[in-house]
């Protein structure tokens, strides 16, 4: 049994942005004292993506890791996970992995809950091994393989691994969320395909077709050192029907991963770091289903929220203003119970990465069908003439694509109608806080779970009242800084005769946001000007 704690070999720096505990290392070069004499190798164990000091969401996984020893201290760097058992159910500190007496490899969370199993009980398993190729295998007494991780891929293929009919590489939900997402790569009897969507999967890539859809159930793809090969027709033994050439690596330090946005990327170890490049021959960056994340519009590789495209605001927000390709989210989420408050945001000259138009109808009927369907998040309509066209209802929302209006004739245009929730004016958090003070209900502002606040209520109330004093509309009624300091020290009482009809806090917050946006838009010449 292996327990997920510091008793296992682990990375020692609390400043690392990951936490790793090794169970079966297959490492090379860990006895050297030189930083540059080691190259990444495979290992399996517990891995957590996040600050090492606070990580507590681990996956049992196989990973490349750059390991080296320096002054008898093991250093682990540059990990890349290539397989995981429990990506949708992370475990905590002190979780365990156990090879039971019945031959089942089982992952238990810290509270004893079973999270994952190989389901190999009573199959005469007597041992476990991690091969030099990154394949975790369970063996019987004759050394025959009973179970292997290569047969249960997640989002990656390593050299020597195959993906067969019925198997999928499932991308993660996002760059920060490793749970199973909506994009996958698979092999069908007639070739390799990449799909996006859960309810209605739509292909955004397929390799050249050679096999027979009706008869070929032995098709597969294989990653080799220097190529990704697709086998479908088997007209010539050991000769692929389609080959994507890749760089050859002397150590075999490369793998392909289907990333969260739909890109299939080759990862290679170069100059002591991992570098990646696209594998699929998709030339238009906007053609990937999550090129700009969910709800975002892609135009020549640039990403914008739908309301920003129309020079509006308030309906959507960026998930991360520093990384625009992470996508957008609705400021007022949709729900079936409030469908009567929904409306459509109309985006002209906007389409989808791939559309299977459901039927021919008119624009209004297309929109009405989406409005009456709780699962529909957007309707896409392609005009064929002034009165009719093709309609597609999307229940999975991906990136949208802005197309050149010049590419359409006068009577052939594309629209996206995105369902949004009508905004209802409400009270801001700041306004609610002030109202609670005005009606003498400050206790409602205190976290009931905070023992520390409950033990120091007098100080908490003093801080609240001091804040009200500092927010007086009449600046002459506000305290000097010296008075604030004395109040905090307890040598002076807070003024009790306060005017609680304060400045419009909502306007103040809006102005603050506007000033922030203005500040973030300063051009380089302004920022580098004289001080």
């Amino acid at each position: 049994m292996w327990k997920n704690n510091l008793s296992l070999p682990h990375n020692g720096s609390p400043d690392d942005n990951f936490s790793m505990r090794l169970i079966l290392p297959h490492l090379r070069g860990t006895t050297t004292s030189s930083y540059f004499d080691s190259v990444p190798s495979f290992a399996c164990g517990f891995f957590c993506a996040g600050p090492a000091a606070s990580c507590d969401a681990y996956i049992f996984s196989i990973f490349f890791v750059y390991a080296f020893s320096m002054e008898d201290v093991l250093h682990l760097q540059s990990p890349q996970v290539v397989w995981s058992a429990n990506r949708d159910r992370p475990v905590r500190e002190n979780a365990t992995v156990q090879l039971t007496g019945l031959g089942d490899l089982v992952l238990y969370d810290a509270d004893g809950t079973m999270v994952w199993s190989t389901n190999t009980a009573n199959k005469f398993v007597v041992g476990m091994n991690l091969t030099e190729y990154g394949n975790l295998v369970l063996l019987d007494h004759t050394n025959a393989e009973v179970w292997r991780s290569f047969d249960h891929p997640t989002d990656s293929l390593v050299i020597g691994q195959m993906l067969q009919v019925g198997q999928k590489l499932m991308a993660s939900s996002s760059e920060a969320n490793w749970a199973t997402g909506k994009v996958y790569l698979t092999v069908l009897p007639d070739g390799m395909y990449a799909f996006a969507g859960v309810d209605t999967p739509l292909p955004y890539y397929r390799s050249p077709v050679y096999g027979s859809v009706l008869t070929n159930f032995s098709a597969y793809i294989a990653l080799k050192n220097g190529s990704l090969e697709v086998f479908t027709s088997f007209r010539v033994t050991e000769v692929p029907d389609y080959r994507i050439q890749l760089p050859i690596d002397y150590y075999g330090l490369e793998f392909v991963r289907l990333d969260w946005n739909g890109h299939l990327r080759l990862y290679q170890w170069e100059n002591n770091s991992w570098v990646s490049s696209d594998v699929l021959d998709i030339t238009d960056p906007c053609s990937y289903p999550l090129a700009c994340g969910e709800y975002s519009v892609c135009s020549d590789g640039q990403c914008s929220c739908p309301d920003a495209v129309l020079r509006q605001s308030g309906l959507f927000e960026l998930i991360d203003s520093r990384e625009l390709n992470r996508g957008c989210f609705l400021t007022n989420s949709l729900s079936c119970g409030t469908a009567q408050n929904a409306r459509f945001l109309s985006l002209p000259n906007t389409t989808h990465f791939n559309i299977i138009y459901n039927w021919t109808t008119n624009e209004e009927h297309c929109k009405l069908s989406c409005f009456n369907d709780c699962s529909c998040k957007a309707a896409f309509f392609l005009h064929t003439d002034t009165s009719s066209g093709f309609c597609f209802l999307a229940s999975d929302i991906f990136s949208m694509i802005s197309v050149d209006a010049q590419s359409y004739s006068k009577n052939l245009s594309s629209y996206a109608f995105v369902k949004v929730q009508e905004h209802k004016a409400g009270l801001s958090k700041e306004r609610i806080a002030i109202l609670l003070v005005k009606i003498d209900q400050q206790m409602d502002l205190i976290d009931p779970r905070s023992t520390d606040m409950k033990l120091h209520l007098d100080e908490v109330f003093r801080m609240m009242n001091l804040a009200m004093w500092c927010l007086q509309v009449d600046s002459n009624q506000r305290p000097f800084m010296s008075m604030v300091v004395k109040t905090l020290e307890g040598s002076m009482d807070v003024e009790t005769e306060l005017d609680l009809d304060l400045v419009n806090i909502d306007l103040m917050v809006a102005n603050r946001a506007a000033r922030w946006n203005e500040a973030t838009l300063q051009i380089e010449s302004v920022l580098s000007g004289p001080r």
Side-chain angles (χ1 to χ4, degrees):
M1 182 177 73
W2 298 272
K3 182 172 285 191
N4 178 32
N5 57 33
L6 298 182
S7 64
L8 297 174
H10 59 278
N11 55 313
S13 174
D15 297 327
D16 287 343
N17 60 355
F18 66 92
S19 177
M20 176 183 293
R21 284 83 183 267
L22 303 185
I23 292 177
L24 286 180
H26 198 287
L27 306 177
R28 49 192 168 189
T30 57
T31 59
T32 179
S33 60
S34 170
Y35 184 93
F36 298 102
D37 288 343
S38 177
V39 293
S41 304
F42 287 109
C44 82
F46 294 98
F47 181 85
C48 177
S54 59
C55 256
D56 200 23
Y58 288 85
I59 54 174
F60 176 58
S61 53
I62 301 170
F63 34 76
F64 273 114
V65 59
Y66 185 12
F68 63 95
S69 293
M70 186 174 291
E71 298 179 354
D72 296 325
V73 177
L74 178 64
H75 294 265
L76 303 174
Q77 295 183 355
S78 305
Q80 289 288 344
V81 174
V82 296
W83 177 86
S84 60
N86 59 309
R87 61 196 297 200
D88 294 315
R89 291 184 62 187
V91 295
R92 294 164 291 170
E93 187 88 4
N94 292 317
T96 59
V97 169
Q98 181 178 356
L99 185 59
T100 69
L102 295 176
D104 202 6
L105 185 64
V106 186
L107 173 65
Y108 296 98
D109 208 342
D111 61 1
T113 304
M114 190 180 79
V115 174
W116 171 84
S117 165
T118 55
N119 296 313
T120 51
N122 299 314
K123 293 186 178 180
F124 309 106
V125 171
V126 297
M128 179 172 73
N129 182 43
L130 178 65
T131 72
E132 62 180 311
Y133 304 106
N135 190 12
L136 182 65
V137 296
L138 300 183
L139 306 168
D140 65 13
H141 66 282
T142 67
N143 232 27
E145 295 178 351
V146 177
W147 180 94
R148 59 185 207 153
S149 60
F150 270 19
D151 294 332
H152 305 272
T154 49
D155 62 357
S156 303
L157 291 177
V158 298
I159 291 177
Q161 188 174 2
M162 297 189 303
L163 191 71
Q164 299 176 332
V165 171
Q167 295 180 330
K168 298 176 182 178
L169 296 185
M170 297 291 302
S172 58
S173 294
S174 69
E175 193 170 10
N177 183 357
W178 289 34
T180 303
K182 300 178 182 178
V183 180
Y184 65 91
L185 182 87
T186 190
V187 56
L188 298 179
D190 60 342
M192 178 174 67
Y193 285 76
F195 288 89
V198 177
D199 298 323
T200 309
L202 298 174
Y204 65 93
Y205 172 85
R206 73 171 182 176
S207 64
V209 177
Y210 295 101
S212 168
V213 175
L214 297 177
T215 61
N216 181 16
F217 296 101
S218 301
Y220 68 91
I221 60 177
L223 179 64
K224 299 183 179 181
N225 193 347
S227 63
L228 180 65
E229 300 181 349
V230 182
F231 294 83
T232 53
S233 68
F234 303 100
R235 291 171 296 183
V236 181
T237 305
E238 299 299 322
V239 176
D241 297 281
Y242 181 64
R243 176 188 285 117
I244 300 175
Q245 292 295 141
L246 304 173
I248 296 176
D249 185 272
Y250 175 77
Y251 290 104
L253 299 177
E254 56 186 23
F255 64 96
V256 295
R257 175 191 293 147
L258 184 64
D259 285 340
W260 67 275
N261 54 12
H263 285 258
L264 183 67
R265 287 194 171 97
L266 172 71
Y267 286 80
Q268 298 172 281
W269 183 254
E270 292 183 4
N271 299 321
N272 296 305
S273 65
W274 292 100
V275 296
S276 66
S277 57
D278 276 310
V279 173
L280 305 180
D281 54 346
I282 298 177
T283 56
D284 181 1
C286 292
S287 295
Y288 286 95
L290 287 169
C292 286
E294 293 185 354
Y295 273 117
S296 190
V297 180
C298 184
S299 177
D300 296 325
Q302 303 300 310
C303 305
S304 305
C305 289
D307 50 357
V309 172
L310 301 175
R311 300 186 182 278
Q312 300 177 18
S313 62
L315 294 174
F316 294 87
E317 289 186 22
L318 289 165
I319 291 176
D320 188 337
S321 59
R322 296 165 299 180
E323 297 183 40
L324 303 185
N325 66 337
R326 294 282 299 278
C328 309
F329 65 92
L330 285 163
T331 54
N332 292 289
S333 59
L334 293 169
S335 63
C336 293
T338 57
Q340 67 275 11
N341 296 322
R343 66 178 179 88
F344 287 105
L345 186 69
S346 300
L347 299 171
N349 304 315
T350 304
T351 186
H352 198 260
F353 70 89
N354 188 5
I355 290 179
I356 300 175
Y357 287 104
N358 301 86
W359 73 93
T360 302
T361 183
N362 59 54
E363 182 181 297
E364 288 305 313
H365 187 220
C366 180
K367 292 163 62 177
L368 182 62
S369 298
C370 182
F371 185 84
N372 292 329
D373 184 349
C374 178
S375 66
C376 180
K377 296 180 179 177
F380 292 87
F381 191 79
L382 177 64
H383 284 275
T384 55
D385 54 45
T386 56
S387 60
S388 64
F390 299 113
C391 178
F392 172 71
L393 305 183
S395 56
D396 293 315
I397 198 73
F398 294 96
S399 298
M400 292 167 278
I401 304 173
S402 177
V403 293
D404 185 2
Q406 300 300 321
S407 64
Y408 292 104
S409 65
K410 182 178 180 180
N411 295 326
L412 185 64
S413 57
S414 177
Y415 273 84
F417 301 103
V418 183
K419 192 186 291 185
V420 297
Q421 196 77 18
E422 285 284 9
H423 176 71
K424 288 189 174 182
L427 294 175
S428 66
K429 293 179 181 178
E430 293 88 348
R431 170 63 69 185
I432 292 172
I434 289 175
L435 288 176
L436 288 173
V437 172
K438 290 177 71 173
I439 62 177
D440 200 24
Q441 292 187 8
Q442 292 99 319
M443 280 297 296
D444 290 345
L445 291 171
I446 297 175
D447 186 349
R449 298 166 297 182
S450 175
T451 304
D452 187 57
M453 281 194 174
K454 290 180 180 179
L455 292 175
H456 302 87
L457 284 178
D458 289 342
E459 296 177 31
V460 172
F461 288 150
R462 185 187 304 125
M463 289 291 292
M464 290 182 182
N465 291 323
L466 178 59
M468 295 300 104
W469 192 6
C470 294
L471 286 173
Q472 295 298 288
V473 176
D474 184 354
S475 60
N476 294 322
Q477 300 300 317
R478 300 172 194 161
F480 293 109
M481 197 63 212
S482 59
M483 300 166 69
V484 172
V485 172
K486 290 180 180 179
T487 302
L488 293 174
E489 291 174 344
S491 60
M492 181 176 179
D493 293 330
V494 178
E495 174 63 49
T496 56
E497 297 297 327
L498 299 176
D499 178 9
L500 295 181
D501 289 325
L502 302 179
V503 65
N504 187 331
I505 193 71
D506 296 324
L507 179 60
M508 184 177 72
V509 171
N511 289 337
R512 181 178 62 194
R515 288 196 301 272
W516 171 256
N517 290 334
E518 182 180 347
T520 57
L521 292 174
Q522 294 295 320
I523 60 175
E524 185 177 353
S525 60
V526 173
L527 295 176
S528 60
R531 299 293 191 267

